[in-house]
Amino acid sequence: MTIHIGAEPGQIAETVLLPGDPYRAKWAAQTFLKDVECVNKVRGMLGFTGTWNGHRVTIHGSGMGMPSLSIYVNELITSYNAQTLIRIGSCGGMQTSVNVRDVIIAMTATSLSTPSRGIFRDINFAPCADYNLLRAAADAATARGTPTHVGGIYSSDVFYDERPDLNEQMIRHGILGVEMEAAELYNLAARHGRRALAVLTVSDHLITHEALPAEDREKTFGDMVEIALEAAFSGQ
Ligand code: HPA
């Protein structure tokens, strides 16, 4: 047990999928895994361990924003030996070539700041995905025929952004989408020598202002979960 995770040692798999929303963790575990057991309920941040095609997997909520994700990912890595950590979440589209429902696989994650800023200080560290996971996810998405984009995303500290000029600069520099967690996931994976990736579904759009209708969410989010699972165990 850690401060924020009630699981016993061994109850968390080496592969962890991280949706922001704990109820989405429950839905994904019940939908895609077999022999599911709930391994965390502390503060309502649900975590579940089960199997997918015979492989053990944990699906655990990260909460919203990098400070919350940092708590869970630090504990998953240092106390439970998580080796492969894949964020599955939603993002806002930032290019007209990116549509609502598309999947974005985040090669890099730009930010104004992350919880790691205190240790990087004047260095602009470049948080990036694990290449083999990235390639496997892109291959899985292509095989499924899911419209998918691979490139840079923006990890923001705010959902209600009072600085539209920042989004404009991101759009101008080809950033595909905005979310609030991936940059710190990539920082922590780099620090601890683990594999990390973010696979995102475009749920709303900053340019077209389109939003994913509630009834479409399950199917589109399901594609993202299966791409993440296929990437995690590709070649195994
Ligand atoms: N901004 C930040 N995070 C998000 C967004 C957004 O527009 N959409 C989904 N996650």
PDB file of all heavy atoms in Angstrom, residues 79-117:
ATOM      1  N   SER A  79       6.710   2.027  -6.144  1.00  0.00           N
ATOM      2  CA  SER A  79       6.238   1.044  -5.161  1.00  0.00           C
ATOM      3  C   SER A  79       5.661  -0.216  -5.801  1.00  0.00           C
ATOM      4  O   SER A  79       5.581  -1.251  -5.149  1.00  0.00           O
ATOM      5  CB  SER A  79       5.166   1.667  -4.261  1.00  0.00           C
ATOM      6  OG  SER A  79       5.730   2.741  -3.539  1.00  0.00           O
ATOM      7  N   TYR A  80       5.220  -0.119  -7.070  1.00  0.00           N
ATOM      8  CA  TYR A  80       4.570  -1.294  -7.695  1.00  0.00           C
ATOM      9  C   TYR A  80       5.303  -1.777  -8.936  1.00  0.00           C
ATOM     10  O   TYR A  80       4.838  -2.689  -9.615  1.00  0.00           O
ATOM     11  CB  TYR A  80       3.115  -0.963  -8.044  1.00  0.00           C
ATOM     12  CG  TYR A  80       2.252  -0.726  -6.819  1.00  0.00           C
ATOM     13  CD1 TYR A  80       1.965   0.560  -6.389  1.00  0.00           C
ATOM     14  CD2 TYR A  80       1.741  -1.804  -6.087  1.00  0.00           C
ATOM     15  CE1 TYR A  80       1.176   0.785  -5.266  1.00  0.00           C
ATOM     16  CE2 TYR A  80       0.953  -1.595  -4.969  1.00  0.00           C
ATOM     17  CZ  TYR A  80       0.671  -0.301  -4.564  1.00  0.00           C
ATOM     18  OH  TYR A  80      -0.107  -0.089  -3.459  1.00  0.00           O
ATOM     19  N   ASN A  81       6.435  -1.139  -9.254  1.00  0.00           N
ATOM     20  CA  ASN A  81       7.279  -1.614 -10.359  1.00  0.00           C
ATOM     21  C   ASN A  81       6.593  -1.590 -11.732  1.00  0.00           C
ATOM     22  O   ASN A  81       6.838  -2.455 -12.574  1.00  0.00           O
ATOM     23  CB  ASN A  81       7.802  -3.030 -10.054  1.00  0.00           C
ATOM     24  CG  ASN A  81       9.006  -3.383 -10.912  1.00  0.00           C
ATOM     25  OD1 ASN A  81       9.776  -2.500 -11.289  1.00  0.00           O
ATOM     26  ND2 ASN A  81       9.154  -4.647 -11.245  1.00  0.00           N
ATOM     27  N   ALA A  82       5.709  -0.607 -11.965  1.00  0.00           N
ATOM     28  CA  ALA A  82       5.102  -0.477 -13.296  1.00  0.00           C
ATOM     29  C   ALA A  82       6.200  -0.181 -14.315  1.00  0.00           C
ATOM     30  O   ALA A  82       7.068   0.661 -14.080  1.00  0.00           O
ATOM     31  CB  ALA A  82       4.069   0.642 -13.297  1.00  0.00           C
ATOM     32  N   GLN A  83       6.170  -0.914 -15.445  1.00  0.00           N
ATOM     33  CA  GLN A  83       7.214  -0.779 -16.473  1.00  0.00           C
ATOM     34  C   GLN A  83       6.720  -0.069 -17.725  1.00  0.00           C
ATOM     35  O   GLN A  83       7.476   0.636 -18.382  1.00  0.00           O
ATOM     36  CB  GLN A  83       7.726  -2.169 -16.884  1.00  0.00           C
ATOM     37  CG  GLN A  83       8.383  -2.952 -15.771  1.00  0.00           C
ATOM     38  CD  GLN A  83       9.711  -2.345 -15.347  1.00  0.00           C
ATOM     39  OE1 GLN A  83      10.404  -1.720 -16.139  1.00  0.00           O
ATOM     40  NE2 GLN A  83      10.065  -2.520 -14.085  1.00  0.00           N
ATOM     41  N   THR A  84       5.450  -0.301 -18.075  1.00  0.00           N
ATOM     42  CA  THR A  84       4.873   0.282 -19.293  1.00  0.00           C
ATOM     43  C   THR A  84       3.630   1.051 -18.877  1.00  0.00           C
ATOM     44  O   THR A  84       2.715   0.465 -18.292  1.00  0.00           O
ATOM     45  CB  THR A  84       4.512  -0.833 -20.288  1.00  0.00           C
ATOM     46  OG1 THR A  84       5.711  -1.506 -20.676  1.00  0.00           O
ATOM     47  CG2 THR A  84       3.825  -0.276 -21.528  1.00  0.00           C
ATOM     48  N   LEU A  85       3.624   2.373 -19.141  1.00  0.00           N
ATOM     49  CA  LEU A  85       2.504   3.206 -18.685  1.00  0.00           C
ATOM     50  C   LEU A  85       1.933   3.950 -19.885  1.00  0.00           C
ATOM     51  O   LEU A  85       2.647   4.711 -20.555  1.00  0.00           O
ATOM     52  CB  LEU A  85       2.991   4.195 -17.608  1.00  0.00           C
ATOM     53  CG  LEU A  85       3.606   3.497 -16.374  1.00  0.00           C
ATOM     54  CD1 LEU A  85       5.115   3.680 -16.365  1.00  0.00           C
ATOM     55  CD2 LEU A  85       2.999   4.031 -15.089  1.00  0.00           C
ATOM     56  N   ILE A  86       0.667   3.703 -20.179  1.00  0.00           N
ATOM     57  CA  ILE A  86       0.050   4.311 -21.358  1.00  0.00           C
ATOM     58  C   ILE A  86      -1.161   5.132 -20.934  1.00  0.00           C
ATOM     59  O   ILE A  86      -2.134   4.593 -20.392  1.00  0.00           O
ATOM     60  CB  ILE A  86      -0.364   3.249 -22.394  1.00  0.00           C
ATOM     61  CG1 ILE A  86       0.839   2.362 -22.765  1.00  0.00           C
ATOM     62  CG2 ILE A  86      -0.946   3.927 -23.639  1.00  0.00           C
ATOM     63  CD1 ILE A  86       0.550   1.312 -23.824  1.00  0.00           C
ATOM     64  N   ARG A  87      -1.055   6.447 -21.165  1.00  0.00           N
ATOM     65  CA  ARG A  87      -2.227   7.288 -20.916  1.00  0.00           C
ATOM     66  C   ARG A  87      -3.238   7.066 -22.018  1.00  0.00           C
ATOM     67  O   ARG A  87      -2.891   7.038 -23.212  1.00  0.00           O
ATOM     68  CB  ARG A  87      -1.806   8.761 -20.862  1.00  0.00           C
ATOM     69  CG  ARG A  87      -2.956   9.724 -20.984  1.00  0.00           C
ATOM     70  CD  ARG A  87      -2.628  11.117 -20.530  1.00  0.00           C
ATOM     71  NE  ARG A  87      -3.550  12.103 -21.071  1.00  0.00           N
ATOM     72  CZ  ARG A  87      -4.841  12.221 -20.744  1.00  0.00           C
ATOM     73  NH1 ARG A  87      -5.381  11.410 -19.849  1.00  0.00           N
ATOM     74  NH2 ARG A  87      -5.599  13.147 -21.291  1.00  0.00           N
ATOM     75  N   ILE A  88      -4.509   6.871 -21.630  1.00  0.00           N
ATOM     76  CA  ILE A  88      -5.612   6.847 -22.592  1.00  0.00           C
ATOM     77  C   ILE A  88      -6.557   7.959 -22.149  1.00  0.00           C
ATOM     78  O   ILE A  88      -6.995   7.979 -20.994  1.00  0.00           O
ATOM     79  CB  ILE A  88      -6.321   5.463 -22.637  1.00  0.00           C
ATOM     80  CG1 ILE A  88      -6.633   4.924 -21.234  1.00  0.00           C
ATOM     81  CG2 ILE A  88      -5.505   4.450 -23.412  1.00  0.00           C
ATOM     82  CD1 ILE A  88      -7.492   3.663 -21.231  1.00  0.00           C
ATOM     83  N   GLY A  89      -6.802   8.915 -23.025  1.00  0.00           N
ATOM     84  CA  GLY A  89      -7.612  10.041 -22.582  1.00  0.00           C
ATOM     85  C   GLY A  89      -8.158  10.821 -23.749  1.00  0.00           C
ATOM     86  O   GLY A  89      -8.041  10.419 -24.904  1.00  0.00           O
ATOM     87  N   SER A  90      -8.747  11.948 -23.431  1.00  0.00           N
ATOM     88  CA  SER A  90      -9.314  12.785 -24.477  1.00  0.00           C
ATOM     89  C   SER A  90      -8.440  14.020 -24.666  1.00  0.00           C
ATOM     90  O   SER A  90      -7.622  14.360 -23.805  1.00  0.00           O
ATOM     91  CB  SER A  90     -10.745  13.181 -24.126  1.00  0.00           C
ATOM     92  OG  SER A  90     -10.752  13.856 -22.900  1.00  0.00           O
ATOM     93  N   CYS A  91      -8.624  14.674 -25.794  1.00  0.00           N
ATOM     94  CA  CYS A  91      -7.896  15.915 -26.035  1.00  0.00           C
ATOM     95  C   CYS A  91      -8.720  16.813 -26.948  1.00  0.00           C
ATOM     96  O   CYS A  91      -9.679  16.366 -27.576  1.00  0.00           O
ATOM     97  CB  CYS A  91      -6.510  15.642 -26.638  1.00  0.00           C
ATOM     98  SG  CYS A  91      -6.546  15.072 -28.344  1.00  0.00           S
ATOM     99  N   GLY A  92      -8.336  18.072 -26.983  1.00  0.00           N
ATOM    100  CA  GLY A  92      -8.964  19.029 -27.891  1.00  0.00           C
ATOM    101  C   GLY A  92      -8.137  19.107 -29.167  1.00  0.00           C
ATOM    102  O   GLY A  92      -6.916  19.258 -29.115  1.00  0.00           O
ATOM    103  N   GLY A  93      -8.808  18.999 -30.326  1.00  0.00           N
ATOM    104  CA  GLY A  93      -8.095  19.069 -31.605  1.00  0.00           C
ATOM    105  C   GLY A  93      -7.582  20.479 -31.862  1.00  0.00           C
ATOM    106  O   GLY A  93      -8.232  21.471 -31.522  1.00  0.00           O
ATOM    107  N   MET A  94      -6.384  20.581 -32.487  1.00  0.00           N
ATOM    108  CA  MET A  94      -5.767  21.889 -32.720  1.00  0.00           C
ATOM    109  C   MET A  94      -5.416  22.146 -34.175  1.00  0.00           C
ATOM    110  O   MET A  94      -4.816  23.179 -34.481  1.00  0.00           O
ATOM    111  CB  MET A  94      -4.512  22.051 -31.862  1.00  0.00           C
ATOM    112  CG  MET A  94      -4.787  22.240 -30.388  1.00  0.00           C
ATOM    113  SD  MET A  94      -3.293  22.678 -29.510  1.00  0.00           S
ATOM    114  CE  MET A  94      -3.794  24.183 -28.694  1.00  0.00           C
ATOM    115  N   GLN A  95      -5.718  21.204 -35.073  1.00  0.00           N
ATOM    116  CA  GLN A  95      -5.443  21.414 -36.497  1.00  0.00           C
ATOM    117  C   GLN A  95      -6.716  21.102 -37.276  1.00  0.00           C
ATOM    118  O   GLN A  95      -7.479  20.208 -36.881  1.00  0.00           O
ATOM    119  CB  GLN A  95      -4.309  20.494 -36.990  1.00  0.00           C
ATOM    120  CG  GLN A  95      -2.992  20.671 -36.267  1.00  0.00           C
ATOM    121  CD  GLN A  95      -2.329  22.026 -36.530  1.00  0.00           C
ATOM    122  OE1 GLN A  95      -2.458  22.584 -37.624  1.00  0.00           O
ATOM    123  NE2 GLN A  95      -1.639  22.556 -35.540  1.00  0.00           N
ATOM    124  N   THR A  96      -6.915  21.777 -38.390  1.00  0.00           N
ATOM    125  CA  THR A  96      -8.128  21.495 -39.176  1.00  0.00           C
ATOM    126  C   THR A  96      -8.051  20.098 -39.812  1.00  0.00           C
ATOM    127  O   THR A  96      -9.073  19.510 -40.153  1.00  0.00           O
ATOM    128  CB  THR A  96      -8.341  22.551 -40.278  1.00  0.00           C
ATOM    129  OG1 THR A  96      -7.115  22.711 -40.975  1.00  0.00           O
ATOM    130  CG2 THR A  96      -8.770  23.884 -39.709  1.00  0.00           C
ATOM    131  N   SER A  97      -6.829  19.549 -39.932  1.00  0.00           N
ATOM    132  CA  SER A  97      -6.686  18.192 -40.481  1.00  0.00           C
ATOM    133  C   SER A  97      -7.055  17.115 -39.463  1.00  0.00           C
ATOM    134  O   SER A  97      -7.133  15.931 -39.801  1.00  0.00           O
ATOM    135  CB  SER A  97      -5.236  17.989 -40.930  1.00  0.00           C
ATOM    136  OG  SER A  97      -4.365  18.259 -39.838  1.00  0.00           O
ATOM    137  N   VAL A  98      -7.251  17.524 -38.215  1.00  0.00           N
ATOM    138  CA  VAL A  98      -7.592  16.582 -37.132  1.00  0.00           C
ATOM    139  C   VAL A  98      -9.088  16.729 -36.843  1.00  0.00           C
ATOM    140  O   VAL A  98      -9.563  17.838 -36.608  1.00  0.00           O
ATOM    141  CB  VAL A  98      -6.766  16.918 -35.868  1.00  0.00           C
ATOM    142  CG1 VAL A  98      -7.265  16.152 -34.664  1.00  0.00           C
ATOM    143  CG2 VAL A  98      -5.283  16.659 -36.109  1.00  0.00           C
ATOM    144  N   ASN A  99      -9.808  15.614 -36.852  1.00  0.00           N
ATOM    145  CA  ASN A  99     -11.258  15.669 -36.626  1.00  0.00           C
ATOM    146  C   ASN A  99     -11.636  15.079 -35.281  1.00  0.00           C
ATOM    147  O   ASN A  99     -10.921  14.216 -34.745  1.00  0.00           O
ATOM    148  CB  ASN A  99     -11.983  14.875 -37.717  1.00  0.00           C
ATOM    149  CG  ASN A  99     -11.793  15.501 -39.080  1.00  0.00           C
ATOM    150  OD1 ASN A  99     -11.984  16.704 -39.254  1.00  0.00           O
ATOM    151  ND2 ASN A  99     -11.386  14.691 -40.043  1.00  0.00           N
ATOM    152  N   VAL A 100     -12.768  15.527 -34.774  1.00  0.00           N
ATOM    153  CA  VAL A 100     -13.349  14.896 -33.595  1.00  0.00           C
ATOM    154  C   VAL A 100     -13.529  13.407 -33.908  1.00  0.00           C
ATOM    155  O   VAL A 100     -13.890  13.045 -35.027  1.00  0.00           O
ATOM    156  CB  VAL A 100     -14.680  15.593 -33.255  1.00  0.00           C
ATOM    157  CG1 VAL A 100     -15.516  14.793 -32.290  1.00  0.00           C
ATOM    158  CG2 VAL A 100     -14.409  16.987 -32.711  1.00  0.00           C
ATOM    159  N   ARG A 101     -13.233  12.543 -32.926  1.00  0.00           N
ATOM    160  CA  ARG A 101     -13.230  11.063 -33.015  1.00  0.00           C
ATOM    161  C   ARG A 101     -11.887  10.504 -33.472  1.00  0.00           C
ATOM    162  O   ARG A 101     -11.626   9.320 -33.286  1.00  0.00           O
ATOM    163  CB  ARG A 101     -14.272  10.462 -33.973  1.00  0.00           C
ATOM    164  CG  ARG A 101     -15.688  10.683 -33.590  1.00  0.00           C
ATOM    165  CD  ARG A 101     -16.620   9.989 -34.580  1.00  0.00           C
ATOM    166  NE  ARG A 101     -17.974  10.388 -34.309  1.00  0.00           N
ATOM    167  CZ  ARG A 101     -18.500  11.528 -34.733  1.00  0.00           C
ATOM    168  NH1 ARG A 101     -17.787  12.352 -35.466  1.00  0.00           N
ATOM    169  NH2 ARG A 101     -19.736  11.842 -34.403  1.00  0.00           N
ATOM    170  N   ASP A 102     -11.035  11.303 -34.116  1.00  0.00           N
ATOM    171  CA  ASP A 102      -9.734  10.778 -34.537  1.00  0.00           C
ATOM    172  C   ASP A 102      -8.898  10.432 -33.310  1.00  0.00           C
ATOM    173  O   ASP A 102      -9.146  10.940 -32.215  1.00  0.00           O
ATOM    174  CB  ASP A 102      -8.956  11.828 -35.362  1.00  0.00           C
ATOM    175  CG  ASP A 102      -9.559  12.067 -36.743  1.00  0.00           C
ATOM    176  OD1 ASP A 102     -10.583  11.439 -37.066  1.00  0.00           O
ATOM    177  OD2 ASP A 102      -8.989  12.892 -37.489  1.00  0.00           O
ATOM    178  N   VAL A 103      -7.903   9.594 -33.545  1.00  0.00           N
ATOM    179  CA  VAL A 103      -6.952   9.256 -32.477  1.00  0.00           C
ATOM    180  C   VAL A 103      -5.657  10.014 -32.714  1.00  0.00           C
ATOM    181  O   VAL A 103      -5.229  10.178 -33.857  1.00  0.00           O
ATOM    182  CB  VAL A 103      -6.723   7.724 -32.439  1.00  0.00           C
ATOM    183  CG1 VAL A 103      -5.479   7.360 -31.632  1.00  0.00           C
ATOM    184  CG2 VAL A 103      -7.950   7.020 -31.851  1.00  0.00           C
ATOM    185  N   ILE A 104      -5.068  10.525 -31.636  1.00  0.00           N
ATOM    186  CA  ILE A 104      -3.744  11.155 -31.700  1.00  0.00           C
ATOM    187  C   ILE A 104      -2.786  10.335 -30.848  1.00  0.00           C
ATOM    188  O   ILE A 104      -3.090  10.013 -29.687  1.00  0.00           O
ATOM    189  CB  ILE A 104      -3.790  12.616 -31.196  1.00  0.00           C
ATOM    190  CG1 ILE A 104      -4.617  13.480 -32.158  1.00  0.00           C
ATOM    191  CG2 ILE A 104      -2.379  13.181 -31.027  1.00  0.00           C
ATOM    192  CD1 ILE A 104      -4.789  14.922 -31.706  1.00  0.00           C
ATOM    193  N   ILE A 105      -1.661   9.974 -31.431  1.00  0.00           N
ATOM    194  CA  ILE A 105      -0.605   9.281 -30.690  1.00  0.00           C
ATOM    195  C   ILE A 105       0.494  10.320 -30.475  1.00  0.00           C
ATOM    196  O   ILE A 105       1.030  10.877 -31.439  1.00  0.00           O
ATOM    197  CB  ILE A 105      -0.102   8.057 -31.480  1.00  0.00           C
ATOM    198  CG1 ILE A 105      -1.272   7.076 -31.713  1.00  0.00           C
ATOM    199  CG2 ILE A 105       1.030   7.368 -30.729  1.00  0.00           C
ATOM    200  CD1 ILE A 105      -0.935   5.930 -32.653  1.00  0.00           C
ATOM    201  N   ALA A 106       0.788  10.602 -29.206  1.00  0.00           N
ATOM    202  CA  ALA A 106       1.628  11.755 -28.876  1.00  0.00           C
ATOM    203  C   ALA A 106       3.112  11.394 -28.897  1.00  0.00           C
ATOM    204  O   ALA A 106       3.609  10.694 -28.012  1.00  0.00           O
ATOM    205  CB  ALA A 106       1.244  12.298 -27.506  1.00  0.00           C
ATOM    206  N   MET A 107       3.800  11.906 -29.914  1.00  0.00           N
ATOM    207  CA  MET A 107       5.247  11.682 -30.034  1.00  0.00           C
ATOM    208  C   MET A 107       5.984  12.527 -28.992  1.00  0.00           C
ATOM    209  O   MET A 107       6.906  12.058 -28.330  1.00  0.00           O
ATOM    210  CB  MET A 107       5.663  12.094 -31.449  1.00  0.00           C
ATOM    211  CG  MET A 107       7.056  11.717 -31.835  1.00  0.00           C
ATOM    212  SD  MET A 107       7.190  11.453 -33.618  1.00  0.00           S
ATOM    213  CE  MET A 107       6.844  13.052 -34.278  1.00  0.00           C
ATOM    214  N   THR A 108       5.566  13.786 -28.848  1.00  0.00           N
ATOM    215  CA  THR A 108       6.162  14.682 -27.841  1.00  0.00           C
ATOM    216  C   THR A 108       5.037  15.446 -27.143  1.00  0.00           C
ATOM    217  O   THR A 108       3.920  15.504 -27.643  1.00  0.00           O
ATOM    218  CB  THR A 108       7.078  15.735 -28.511  1.00  0.00           C
ATOM    219  OG1 THR A 108       6.275  16.538 -29.392  1.00  0.00           O
ATOM    220  CG2 THR A 108       8.212  15.105 -29.285  1.00  0.00           C
ATOM    221  N   ALA A 109       5.374  16.026 -25.993  1.00  0.00           N
ATOM    222  CA  ALA A 109       4.378  16.816 -25.254  1.00  0.00           C
ATOM    223  C   ALA A 109       5.026  18.123 -24.789  1.00  0.00           C
ATOM    224  O   ALA A 109       5.866  18.139 -23.894  1.00  0.00           O
ATOM    225  CB  ALA A 109       3.842  16.027 -24.063  1.00  0.00           C
ATOM    226  N   THR A 110       4.615  19.193 -25.443  1.00  0.00           N
ATOM    227  CA  THR A 110       5.098  20.533 -25.090  1.00  0.00           C
ATOM    228  C   THR A 110       4.301  21.047 -23.890  1.00  0.00           C
ATOM    229  O   THR A 110       3.135  20.695 -23.724  1.00  0.00           O
ATOM    230  CB  THR A 110       4.870  21.470 -26.295  1.00  0.00           C
ATOM    231  OG1 THR A 110       5.680  21.018 -27.375  1.00  0.00           O
ATOM    232  CG2 THR A 110       5.223  22.915 -25.966  1.00  0.00           C
ATOM    233  N   SER A 111       4.929  21.887 -23.053  1.00  0.00           N
ATOM    234  CA  SER A 111       4.185  22.459 -21.921  1.00  0.00           C
ATOM    235  C   SER A 111       4.781  23.809 -21.556  1.00  0.00           C
ATOM    236  O   SER A 111       5.916  24.123 -21.907  1.00  0.00           O
ATOM    237  CB  SER A 111       4.265  21.542 -20.702  1.00  0.00           C
ATOM    238  OG  SER A 111       5.594  21.518 -20.235  1.00  0.00           O
ATOM    239  N   LEU A 112       3.985  24.575 -20.809  1.00  0.00           N
ATOM    240  CA  LEU A 112       4.485  25.820 -20.215  1.00  0.00           C
ATOM    241  C   LEU A 112       5.287  25.468 -18.978  1.00  0.00           C
ATOM    242  O   LEU A 112       6.286  26.083 -18.641  1.00  0.00           O
ATOM    243  CB  LEU A 112       3.264  26.658 -19.827  1.00  0.00           C
ATOM    244  CG  LEU A 112       3.351  28.151 -19.769  1.00  0.00           C
ATOM    245  CD1 LEU A 112       3.913  28.724 -21.052  1.00  0.00           C
ATOM    246  CD2 LEU A 112       1.947  28.723 -19.513  1.00  0.00           C
ATOM    247  N   SER A 113       4.813  24.447 -18.287  1.00  0.00           N
ATOM    248  CA  SER A 113       5.430  24.019 -17.034  1.00  0.00           C
ATOM    249  C   SER A 113       4.941  22.616 -16.724  1.00  0.00           C
ATOM    250  O   SER A 113       3.885  22.206 -17.200  1.00  0.00           O
ATOM    251  CB  SER A 113       5.000  24.967 -15.915  1.00  0.00           C
ATOM    252  OG  SER A 113       5.547  24.543 -14.693  1.00  0.00           O
ATOM    253  N   THR A 114       5.719  21.875 -15.951  1.00  0.00           N
ATOM    254  CA  THR A 114       5.265  20.570 -15.452  1.00  0.00           C
ATOM    255  C   THR A 114       5.697  20.473 -13.990  1.00  0.00           C
ATOM    256  O   THR A 114       6.514  21.292 -13.530  1.00  0.00           O
ATOM    257  CB  THR A 114       5.929  19.395 -16.216  1.00  0.00           C
ATOM    258  OG1 THR A 114       7.312  19.357 -15.840  1.00  0.00           O
ATOM    259  CG2 THR A 114       5.792  19.522 -17.721  1.00  0.00           C
ATOM    260  N   PRO A 115       5.215  19.475 -13.239  1.00  0.00           N
ATOM    261  CA  PRO A 115       5.710  19.302 -11.867  1.00  0.00           C
ATOM    262  C   PRO A 115       7.222  19.042 -11.805  1.00  0.00           C
ATOM    263  O   PRO A 115       7.827  19.188 -10.753  1.00  0.00           O
ATOM    264  CB  PRO A 115       4.908  18.097 -11.358  1.00  0.00           C
ATOM    265  CG  PRO A 115       3.641  18.138 -12.159  1.00  0.00           C
ATOM    266  CD  PRO A 115       4.070  18.595 -13.527  1.00  0.00           C
ATOM    267  N   SER A 116       7.830  18.676 -12.940  1.00  0.00           N
ATOM    268  CA  SER A 116       9.287  18.444 -12.961  1.00  0.00           C
ATOM    269  C   SER A 116      10.081  19.720 -13.177  1.00  0.00           C
ATOM    270  O   SER A 116      11.313  19.682 -13.223  1.00  0.00           O
ATOM    271  CB  SER A 116       9.639  17.445 -14.068  1.00  0.00           C
ATOM    272  OG  SER A 116       9.097  16.184 -13.790  1.00  0.00           O
ATOM    273  N   ARG A 117       9.414  20.840 -13.334  1.00  0.00           N
ATOM    274  CA  ARG A 117      10.129  22.087 -13.615  1.00  0.00           C
ATOM    275  C   ARG A 117      11.150  22.400 -12.522  1.00  0.00           C
ATOM    276  O   ARG A 117      12.232  22.925 -12.792  1.00  0.00           O
ATOM    277  CB  ARG A 117       9.137  23.233 -13.727  1.00  0.00           C
ATOM    278  CG  ARG A 117       9.821  24.519 -14.106  1.00  0.00           C
ATOM    279  CD  ARG A 117       8.829  25.563 -14.535  1.00  0.00           C
ATOM    280  NE  ARG A 117       9.568  26.652 -15.153  1.00  0.00           N
ATOM    281  CZ  ARG A 117       9.057  27.480 -16.024  1.00  0.00           C
ATOM    282  NH1 ARG A 117       7.816  27.336 -16.409  1.00  0.00           N
ATOM    283  NH2 ARG A 117       9.769  28.456 -16.525  1.00  0.00           N
TER     284      ARG A 117
END
